[in-house]
Amino acid sequence: PITTCIPVWLRLKLFKQILRAKERLPGVELIIKLHPQENRDLIDRLIKEFEIKGVKVIAEFDIYELLNICDILITHSSTMASEAILLEKPVINLTCFPGRDDSPWVEEGAAIAADSVEKLVLAIKDIWEDVGLRNRLQEGRKKFIARYLTGCDGKAAERVIKLIMEMCHEGRNRGENPGEMSRLDERL
């Protein structure tokens, strides 16, 4: 998904990269899941302009069902990359800025960066054909999950409360408004 917080000019450029890559991969089925606030007309016009077959545009559909059936997720810095990584799906992070991909997925080796149509096509082919790459991505996913997605144990609220309490006690030790902190302690 390419979200609406991205400027229209950038979304257009990213969509065009994806569609040009699709032109070079005729056997590939491309599913574009629109962000809930995304303008479908924009995508429909581009698909018509490119005269591309094998592209489905979906506005309303369970994103997790789509992630389960996809072979590869192509995104531009969407948190859906984390979801795909949890589901052990290969991720390609698409950008329009050569050499400037600082996404944590790419940094941890859990995703491939692509900043051009050529690199996007190559990344897709490599994911399909290169067992070594798939193994490296799997290791990268493990590192990413360990670093960023651990603690999924249903105890997040406990950890947040503990952190708040520690901050309150640190503030009290520094003499910061102890009356307010005592009332906060009582409420928590």
Side-chain angles (χ1 to χ4, degrees):
I2 300 179
T3 62
T4 56
C5 63
I6 299 170
V8 173
W9 69 267
L10 180 54
R11 283 185 290 155
L12 275 170
K13 193 167 182 175
L14 292 166
F15 281 128
K16 285 180 179 181
Q17 284 183 323
I18 292 169
L19 293 174
R20 285 188 182 115
K22 168 64 177 107
E23 285 178 321
R24 297 181 190 182
L25 299 163
V28 170
E29 181 180 4
L30 174 64
I31 299 173
I32 298 174
K33 167 62 175 88
L34 297 177
H35 184 275
Q37 297 173 352
E38 190 76 60
N39 181 346
R40 184 184 184 123
D41 294 338
L42 174 74
I43 303 302
D44 289 339
R45 281 195 315 257
L46 285 175
I47 292 169
K48 187 175 181 179
E49 175 187 324
F50 279 77
E51 298 179 358
I52 295 179
K53 303 291 182 220
V55 178
K56 293 180 182 174
V57 180
I58 299 173
E60 294 184 29
F61 200 86
D62 186 313
I63 190 68
Y64 299 105
E65 286 185 51
L66 287 175
L67 280 175
N68 277 319
I69 64 169
C70 80
D71 295 313
I72 301 170
L73 174 72
I74 302 170
T75 186
H76 174 73
S77 298
S78 168
T79 56
M80 288 312 305
S82 295
E83 308 282 346
I85 288 167
L86 282 170
L87 293 171
E88 299 188 10
K89 298 292 183 171
V91 174
I92 300 172
N93 196 60
L94 183 61
T95 181
C96 294
F97 309 106
R100 290 185 52 211
D101 190 324
D102 57 357
S103 67
W105 316 284
V106 172
E107 286 179 359
E108 293 294 332
I112 298 173
D115 57 22
S116 68
V117 174
E118 293 76 21
K119 289 180 183 176
L120 178 56
V121 170
L122 184 61
I124 292 168
K125 287 180 177 180
D126 285 349
I127 287 170
W128 286 333
E129 299 168 1
D130 187 339
V131 175
L133 173 63
R134 287 195 306 269
N135 290 338
R136 288 189 301 278
L137 287 171
Q138 178 62 33
E139 288 305 310
R141 285 192 292 267
K142 288 177 186 175
K143 282 175 40 183
F144 178 83
I145 290 168
R147 183 167 184 181
Y148 293 101
L149 303 176
T150 56
C152 297
D153 56 6
K155 296 182 181 179
E158 287 179 35
R159 284 190 291 278
V160 169
I161 290 170
K162 182 180 178 194
L163 178 63
I164 290 170
M165 297 299 292
E166 288 171 4
M167 292 169 69
C168 288
H169 292 292
E170 287 173 15
R172 187 177 298 133
N173 291 339
R174 289 191 308 260
E176 295 175 1
N177 202 353
E180 288 296 317
M181 290 183 201
S182 295
R183 284 195 292 278
L184 182 60
D185 282 345
E186 293 167 9
R187 291 175 58 197
L188 295 174

